[in-house]
Amino acid sequence: MEELRARGYSGRITLVGAEERPPYDRPPLSKKVLTDGVDPSLRADFAALDVDFRPGETAVGLAAPQSALVTNHDKYSFDRLVLAMGATPIALPGPGPQRFLRTLDDALALRALFRPGLRLAVVGAGWIGAELATAASTAGCLVTVVEAAPAPLVAALGAEAGSHTAPWYQRAGVELRTGTAVEAVQEGGLTLAGGAWLPAEEVVTAIGVRPAVRWLADSGVTLDNGVAVDPGLRTSLPGVYAAGDCAAFESVRFGKRLRVEHWDTALHAPEVVAANILGGSEVYDPVPYFWSEQFGRMLQYAGHHTAADRFIWRGDPQADSWTACWLSTGGRLTGVLTVNRPRDLVQGRRVIAAAAEVDITRLPDPAVQLKDCALPGDGPSRLTGSLVGSQRQVWRSAPRPTGSPFSGRVCDGEIRT
Ligand SMILES: Cc1cc2nc3c(=O)[nH]c(=O)nc-3n(C[C@H](O)[C@H](O)[C@H](O)COP(=O)(O)OP(=O)(O)OC[C@H]3O[C@@H](n4cnc5c(N)ncnc54)[C@H](O)[C@@H]3O)c2cc1C
């Protein structure tokens, strides 16, 4: 919405959102909201933006001939529609109560529960599980993290990099049980695969999310692990766009469809949507970026690697600051994970953006700047060309954005011209 207004759009905009609250940032939910109770609200001035905001209203379908949005309260005709429903947490089987951490209400409820001695089971040692365990152990809870994979963060990073985060749990007083699948959530604890019992006063399930697209099943919008969009973030229906966690976009850079569940994508993809709604032909094809704060460390990742990519350490992974790199078979950097090494992240993102091959004899040496590992021929000019945008994004991404009400984000919304 803000991006449309900033680009001169003066038509009507309606924003429909299932939550009763005005928009807020989610990254603080598992961090400062839990630890310090900070308010993550975005300063949304709907009157100044001339936006008709409809909180507590859920989209349930598109009416034929697909130019009206049907909600649980109303029906809106539109000329352009932006789908940005995000994602919803996956639940575990079982009759017992389980909590999630997706919304501000979830976070506030968890914060109110935290107390020294609370026996808390967190299922899933992914990004959210690790951050939740960090906050809960800081509050004095007795935290057990149960993870089916052999190490934390395996889905995102693979076992080799993920396993080097495991000692952080122990040092923080958190019990980490890897290779342990949960069979069911019960009253008072968890039944583990094989029948073992883990008692817990509270259970938080953090095993991943699914794009919130079920309501679009018969809408004519093509779904493929989310809303399938082209590089300009257009769906299969004319005039309908999608962005953020719910959108799977065609990445020319990585040669596949990507659905990126990270804040940087939710921040920047709407810029492309707004430009294209207004007649542009922009493409969204970033080097994906995210960060995570766990057990006193800042983790940052840029790129998109596959399990087949070659893995190389920079620095000592037993230490408190290191970098993990992934390389394609052609020797190009495809992904970089940094722990307390922000310079490597910035330089790595540039090298990935430039599709540069790297010198693997120099890459493992943390004393050599990562940008200096890019082989000549792939070219300093290519690196320089991609520098400005990516660096700005990287440094803007760690803290929350400041200044503008929505920071360029379009949430669930309908636009009528
Ligand atoms: C606890 C937590 C911590 C995170 N930390 C980080 C981090 O450190 N770094 C990082 O890069 N990313 C992080 N993320 C991810 C980041 O917050 C998300 O990628 C981002 O919020 C996605 O934005 P979005 O607008 O696509 O979706 P959302 O923020 O999920 O917003 C979608 C909105 O649509 C509403 N909605 C859904 N369906 C409907 C419907 N049918 N009708 C109407 N409204 C609907 C939802 O209620 C929701 O309000 C975190 C996420 C969470 C939950």
Side-chain angles (χ1 to χ4, degrees):
M1 299 175 313
E2 190 194 57
E3 196 64 33
L4 281 164
R5 292 295 187 226
R7 290 170 189 259
Y9 173 73
S10 60
R12 295 174 65 187
I13 301 178
T14 306
L15 176 67
V16 174
E19 291 184 66
E20 295 286 352
R21 298 173 178 278
Y24 56 87
D25 258 337
R26 283 181 213 279
L29 300 185
S30 48
K31 308 174 184 72
K32 295 267 181 199
V33 175
L34 288 182
T35 55
D36 303 333
V38 302
D39 178 4
S41 301
L42 297 165
R43 293 185 299 279
D45 188 343
F46 293 110
L49 286 169
D50 190 17
V51 166
D52 180 6
F53 176 41
R54 306 292 181 103
E57 201 165 327
T58 302
V60 294
L62 296 182
Q66 280 89 23
S67 56
L69 179 75
V70 183
T71 73
N72 55 344
H73 292 316
D74 219 329
K75 186 173 173 180
Y76 305 90
S77 62
F78 61 81
D79 294 312
R80 301 285 185 274
L81 173 69
V82 182
L83 302 169
M85 297 83 59
T88 47
I90 299 169
L92 284 163
Q98 52 187 310
R99 296 176 177 276
F100 303 95
L101 180 48
R102 181 73 196 180
T103 66
L104 179 52
D105 288 340
D106 294 339
L108 293 176
L110 280 169
R111 177 171 163 75
L113 276 180
F114 285 179
R115 59 171 165 76
L118 176 81
R119 286 155 74 105
L120 176 72
V122 176
V123 186
W127 303 112
I128 305 280
E131 293 190 346
L132 181 55
T134 303
S137 59
T138 304
C141 302
L142 302 176
V143 186
T144 303
V145 177
V146 183
E147 168 57 56
L153 301 171
V154 166
L157 303 177
E160 192 162 6
S163 64
H164 283 83
T165 71
W168 304 346
Y169 290 72
Q170 195 188 3
R171 276 180 233 150
V174 173
E175 184 188 358
L176 173 66
R177 295 198 194 179
T178 53
T180 307
V182 171
E183 200 170 277
V185 183
Q186 312 285 1
E187 193 68 48
L190 297 170
T191 305
L192 305 177
W197 174 247
L198 176 69
E201 290 165 87
E202 296 289 342
V203 173
V204 186
T205 303
I207 57 173
V209 294
R210 289 206 181 93
V213 297
R214 200 184 299 174
W215 66 279
L216 289 168
D218 300 316
S219 65
V221 172
T222 301
L223 302 178
D224 179 6
N225 180 30
V227 180
V229 287
D230 72 7
L233 304 179
R234 298 174 194 85
T235 73
S236 54
L237 284 186
V240 180
Y241 300 75
D245 282 13
C246 74
F249 60 93
E250 284 169 22
S251 168
V252 178
R253 184 191 299 280
F254 294 102
K256 61 167 76 160
R257 196 176 279 291
L258 297 183
R259 193 171 62 77
V260 180
E261 295 167 1
H262 298 302
W263 182 88
D264 191 64
T265 295
L267 179 68
H268 292 292
E271 296 163 5
V272 172
V273 171
N276 291 344
I277 282 176
L278 299 176
S281 51
E282 288 194 15
V283 161
Y284 184 69
D285 199 7
V287 174
Y289 164 78
F290 68 84
W291 80 100
S292 173
E293 297 163 34
Q294 20 185 298
F295 305 110
R297 295 161 180 84
M298 171 62 91
L299 281 67
Q300 293 172 289
Y301 177 92
H304 174 76
H305 72 272
T306 69
D309 288 351
R310 181 172 180 179
F311 180 79
I312 292 181
W313 292 111
R314 268 170 71 75
D316 177 6
Q318 315 290 341
D320 262 349
S321 101
W322 44 263
T323 297
C325 302
W326 287 266
L327 277 76
S328 69
T329 43
R332 297 185 195 284
L333 194 64
T334 54
V336 60
L337 171 78
T338 64
V339 176
N340 295 336
R341 285 180 68 87
R343 182 176 293 178
D344 269 5
L345 188 282
V346 173
Q347 295 183 4
R349 195 177 190 189
R350 286 184 223 160
V351 173
I352 296 167
E357 281 176 41
V358 291
D359 180 344
I360 58 163
T361 63
R362 306 184 78 205
L363 190 62
D365 183 353
V368 178
Q369 294 219 47
L370 208 154
K371 67 180 166 63
D372 294 335
C373 299
L375 286 170
D378 272 304
S381 60
R382 291 177 68 183
L383 291 181
T384 310
S386 62
L387 189 150
V388 179
S390 39
Q391 192 174 38
R392 186 181 69 110
Q393 286 178 25
V394 166
W395 289 114
R396 279 178 62 191
S397 296
R400 58 165 294 183
T402 53
S404 54
F406 277 114
S407 309
R409 242 166 59 132
V410 177
C411 296
D412 294 80
E414 179 208 8
I415 168 170
R416 289 187 282 180
T417 51

